[in-house]
Amino acid sequence: MKKIRNQMNRMCGVVAGKAMEVKRKLAERSGEGYVDTAVKILIAVVLGALLLAGLYALFKDTVLPTLVNRIQQMFNYAG
């Protein structure tokens, strides 16, 4: 009986310690690690979208027509 009581007391101590740790974490108001990560992700997405839009505009207007002309000239070889 005494062994079971000791085990129960140890388990209660562990559970109480974990509960205090959770309570302390929930009481934190710093938000460090979440807000700055969200801002970094948002900046990366916006910059990526701008880069893709710029590349698409460049390839659509400048590179692709020139490339199509060169390929057509290459296969229209009449020699």
Side-chain angles (χ1 to χ4, degrees):
M1 219 34 163
K2 190 174 185 180
K3 186 177 181 180
I4 293 173
R5 186 175 296 144
N6 285 341
Q7 286 179 343
M8 289 297 289
N9 283 339
R10 263 189 264 137
M11 284 194 330
C12 286
V14 169
V15 169
K18 291 292 182 184
M20 291 299 291
E21 188 178 329
V22 168
K23 185 177 179 181
R24 192 171 354 122
K25 276 291 186 184
L26 290 175
E28 285 182 9
R29 300 185 73 55
S30 66
E32 186 177 330
Y34 297 107
V35 175
D36 58 346
T37 303
V39 169
K40 288 176 191 175
I41 291 172
L42 186 62
I43 290 171
V45 168
V46 169
L47 289 177
L50 287 173
L51 180 66
L52 285 176
L55 286 174
Y56 180 74
L58 175 70
F59 276 90
K60 184 179 176 188
D61 295 336
T62 305
V63 176
L64 284 180
T66 307
L67 185 63
V68 169
N69 288 338
R70 288 189 181 185
I71 291 173
Q72 286 174 350
Q73 289 172 358
M74 185 171 61
F75 284 106
N76 280 338
Y77 183 70

